[in-house]
Amino acid sequence: MKKALKVLMVEDDPNICELVQLYVEKEGYQFITRYQGEKGMEAYYEEDPDFVILDIMLPEVSGWEICKEIRRDNPLVPIIMLTGKGESYDKIRGLELGADDYVVKPFDPNELIARMKAVMRRANLLDATKEKIELNSLTIDMKQYKVYLDGEEVVMPPKELELLYFFASNRNQVFTRQQLLDHIWGYDFDGDSRTIDVHVKRIREKLNTDSLKWSLKTIRGVGYKFEECPNR
């Protein structure tokens, strides 16, 4: 018998937790909830969940801090952030820390379930096409979900790695921000296109070296291109 997917929700509003629990369990998933940040972190390590839903504003430890800690421990477990503010800063910061998606309160539980399935579906699609790309001193290993530069591992959250892999798989092609959002985050993602700028900036910072024979170029007014530079 297939093991039920285990979902951990860290949210300080019991009413929201109870409502989400009804929908999550209806999908056949196991539901675990904690109302405080510190308790949420303890549950993460004790329960080893397959999916995490994090509120940003939590007692003791914020959702942002929990997200950072989870990503240090496991770069692959899907994370959806909940924000009551709906401000671009909250959304971008959550995605920058490694969250896969976000939902703004108040939300329809059906939307949350749909976004959870979208995140899982994209992960499954990646499972079917994992490969290794080697470019000069850069190696992108999708089987292990790891990036290496000059033989040293460069730690990247899933979305940064997936974006880099997509660029490297489509060298010398120009993509708009919306095209990149569609390919990496999915067509149902309605977030800010600045999400792409944040991820590109972090990729550049982590792989900043003059020895590379490629560059991640900004095409003004359009988007980005992964360009090979054989003369370097």
Side-chain angles (χ1 to χ4, degrees), residues 96 149 154-157 160 200-209:
E96 185 177 16
L149 186 62
V154 180
V155 178
M156 288 188 178
E160 285 179 22
V200 168
K201 178 176 179 288
R202 291 174 68 86
I203 290 172
R204 284 171 170 164
E205 290 173 348
K206 293 177 180 180
L207 302 179
N208 183 24
T209 171

Side-chain angles (χ1 to χ4, degrees), residues 54 63-71 79 81 94 97-99:
L54 288 175
W64 281 319
E65 291 302 315
I66 297 174
C67 184
K68 283 197 295 185
E69 178 65 24
I70 290 176
R71 279 290 169 257
I79 300 174
M81 305 288 289
L97 292 176

Side-chain angles (χ1 to χ4, degrees), residues 64-204:
W64 281 319
E65 291 302 315
I66 297 174
C67 184
K68 283 197 295 185
E69 178 65 24
I70 290 176
R71 279 290 169 257
R72 280 195 290 263
D73 178 72
N74 186 343
L76 300 181
V77 62
I79 300 174
I80 285 182
M81 305 288 289
L82 303 179
T83 170
K85 298 178 180 179
E87 297 176 356
S88 295
Y89 172 77
D90 289 332
K91 301 169 187 177
I92 292 174
R93 183 177 180 187
L95 294 168
E96 185 177 16
L97 292 176
D100 295 279
D101 203 350
Y102 62 85
V103 175
V104 179
K105 297 179 183 177
F107 58 86
D108 182 341
N110 287 308
E111 178 190 359
L112 177 60
I113 295 297
R115 288 183 178 275
M116 289 175 62
K117 289 182 176 180
V119 170
M120 290 185 281
R121 186 165 58 248
R122 291 195 293 273
N124 289 336
L125 285 173
L126 282 168
D127 287 342
T129 59
K130 287 179 180 176
E131 297 178 10
K132 179 186 287 187
I133 293 178
E134 295 182 343
L135 292 169
N136 191 25
S137 55
L138 177 69
T139 299
I140 309 167
D141 189 340
M142 295 303 287
K143 290 183 179 180
Q144 299 185 54
Y145 245 76
K146 292 184 178 180
V147 176
Y148 299 91
L149 186 62
D150 293 321
E152 297 291 327
E153 183 179 355
V154 180
V155 178
M156 288 188 178
K159 284 294 175 282
E160 285 179 22
L161 191 150
E162 291 164 19
L163 184 60
L164 176 62
Y165 176 79
F166 181 78
F167 275 127
S169 300
N170 298 276
R171 297 188 283 280
N172 300 314
Q173 295 184 45
V174 178
F175 293 96
T176 67
R177 290 170 177 81
Q178 188 58 53
Q179 287 175 323
L180 294 169
L181 284 173
D182 291 343
H183 280 288
I184 306 303
W185 277 265
Y187 292 96
D188 56 351
F189 180 78
D190 60 358
D192 197 312
S193 63
R194 284 178 294 177
T195 297
I196 295 297
D197 299 334
V198 170
H199 282 71
V200 168
K201 178 176 179 288
R202 291 174 68 86
I203 290 172
R204 284 171 170 164

